Each structure stands twice: as C-alpha cells, then as structure tokens.
Amino acid sequence: DVKVTQSSRYLVKRTGEKVFLECVQDMDHENMFWYRQDPGLGLRLIYFSYDVKMKEKGDIPEGYSVSREKKERFSLILESASTNQTSMYLCASSFQGMYEQYFGPGTRLTVT
Amino acid sequence: GQNIDQPTEMTATEGAIVQINCTYQTSGFNGLFWYQQHAGEAPTFLSYNVLDGLEEKGRFSSFLSRSKGYSYLLLKELQMKDSASYLCAVRDDNTDKLIFGTGTRLQVFP
C-alpha cells in the first residue's frame, strides 16, 4: 500500500512565524508535490520536485519555499506566515511519467 | 490559458445514476484524471483517460472526448457513501503536473 504521511493534521501558528510542513512517502516515487486547497478555488500547486534537490515553482509559489534533501521527504516552508496562508495543505507523490498521484491526509494550517 | 470547468454541486438519490461533467481548455493535454475526496480527507484516484472513449471500473465509468475538451464521470447504483467531492484534473503536456478543477460536491439522499 502506498503511504504518504504528513507531519501534522492540524497546526495553529501566529503571523510572522516560520512554519515547516513535512511530507514523507514510502513508495520510492520520484515526483513530489505540495498543494493548497481552499473552498471555491480547488487544489492549487505550490511547488513540485522531480528528484532530490530539484524543485520547480507551481502556480502559487509566492510566500513559500521547499526542500528535498532525501528522495522520500519533501518539506514546505512558510518563511513568515501570514493569515492568507490559512488553508488545507496537501502533499502528493507519483512515479515519473506518472498515471496517478497519491495524496497525504493533509494539514489544516491556521495562521492567527 | 488553462481552464477546467465542472459544476459546483449536484444532488442525486440513492440507487440512481449521476453524470458529472468536466470541460477543459489547456495549453497541452496528456490525460485526464478523476479523483474522489470525502470531506476532511485526501483525494483518492478513481480513473484515468488518455484516449477517447469510455473506461469502466465497477460502478464508476469515465468518458473522454479530446476533440471537444470534455469528460464525464458516471456513477451508477448510487450509495450514500458516494457523497463526496469529485475532482477533474488534466495532466499538463510537458510535465507531470496536474491542473485541477474546483470540484463537484455530490450529495446522495435516501
């Protein structure tokens, strides 16, 4: 069974804090993705990675950065959290030339 | 530009059939996915179409017409557990990125 895990299901942070969201997959997938999901806007891609130490901007990278030091782990970093980053964050992974992405359970982040 | 449209909400009765439509306009196309997402949970893969036609998988079927930029997901013999959001996503031509629609929330009533 493919497993994608995320470090927290719920997180509350204050404005200006640095926030780390961790994602780990156990299927040796090359690709990893970070999305945010907001009502009425659907899933929007923040960043993705095709390989270790590689990263590509998605559609809404502003205010975020990522790190992929190991193949199984992909971290999303909010350098200085703001209230408009309150959202559900979903991590996903897939093989290259993929036919489906596998999603983690999500982290609901609230920035106050 | 890239645009994926699907209805926001649909309702149906247990035991009935429902069709959820998805239209897309993207700069490149290399396959269309349907995902199911129950409230508060992660999306799970339902189907993948890259060629025109119908793909059937149990109670669920998915259809694609590339020339029309159109797909639908057909759910038969609806059950209460089918109440969920259904996400249409198009795979970008040159990358492994998926572009998602905003999802269709389906409510099944007894």
Side-chain angles (χ1 to χ4, degrees):
Chain A
D1 244 9
V2 176
K3 198 156 187 186
V4 181
T5 57
Q6 295 183 228
S7 47
S8 306
R9 289 300 304 267
Y10 300 95
L11 209 52
V12 180
K13 295 291 182 181
R14 293 190 184 277
T15 302
E17 278 193 89
K18 191 168 186 176
V19 182
F20 292 88
L21 301 182
E22 299 279 324
C23 175
V24 178
Q25 51 93 5
D26 66 358
M27 280 302 291
D28 205 33
H29 286 165
E30 294 89 5
N31 299 336
M32 296 189 77
F33 308 82
W34 273 108
Y35 296 89
R36 62 177 284 177
Q37 187 174 32
D38 301 286
L41 296 177
L43 278 160
R44 293 180 292 166
L45 182 64
I46 305 171
Y47 266 96
F48 60 105
S49 169
Y50 290 130
D51 202 347
V52 176
K53 296 195 185 293
M54 293 185 67
K55 60 184 178 185
E56 297 282 341
K57 291 180 180 179
D59 300 315
I60 51 163
E62 295 79 18
Y64 304 94
S65 63
V66 290
S67 172
R68 192 159 181 209
E69 296 296 318
K70 294 185 177 181
K71 190 175 185 180
E72 67 270 19
R73 188 179 298 268
F74 193 35
S75 302
L76 180 69
I77 303 152
L78 288 68
E79 294 290 341
S80 177
S82 62
T83 55
N84 64 11
Q85 292 179 311
T86 291
S87 186
M88 171 68 86
Y89 288 88
L90 288 159
C91 174
S93 69
S94 73
F95 287 114
Q96 276 185 5
M98 64 82 178
Y99 295 97
E100 62 180 286
Q101 291 183 11
Y102 295 86
F103 284 84
T107 296
R108 185 165 293 282
L109 172 68
T110 302
V111 183
T112 61
Chain B
Q2 297 167 331
N3 193 44
I4 298 176
D5 284 319
Q6 46 182 138
T8 304
E9 289 197 10
M10 297 182 71
T11 59
T13 306
E14 198 173 12
I17 299 172
V18 72
Q19 178 175 311
I20 302 174
N21 296 324
C22 172
T23 58
Y24 63 89
Q25 292 174 310
T26 56
S27 54
F29 177 85
N30 198 11
L32 187 141
F33 294 77
W34 284 96
Y35 281 81
Q36 181 190 60
Q37 185 177 26
H38 285 101
E41 297 183 12
T44 55
F45 170 78
L46 285 178
S47 69
Y48 171 68
N49 295 68
V50 66
L51 299 176
D52 291 351
L54 189 69
E55 294 280 341
E56 295 187 79
K57 195 187 285 187
R59 293 190 299 116
F60 292 6
S61 303
S62 57
F63 171 82
L64 175 67
S65 168
R66 288 172 296 170
S67 62
K68 295 181 179 176
Y70 168 69
S71 173
Y72 67 73
L73 180 70
L74 193 72
L75 291 76
K76 302 176 187 174
E77 301 169 17
L78 279 172
Q79 301 175 9
M80 297 296 291
K81 67 178 182 179
D82 297 329
S83 292
S85 288
Y86 291 86
L87 313 179
C88 172
V90 171
R91 182 180 171 192
D92 184 72
D93 197 21
N94 298 316
T95 71
D96 288 339
K97 288 169 56 175
L98 290 182
I99 304 155
F100 282 86
T102 54
T104 298
R105 185 174 167 232
L106 173 67
Q107 288 185 282
V108 179
F109 293 99

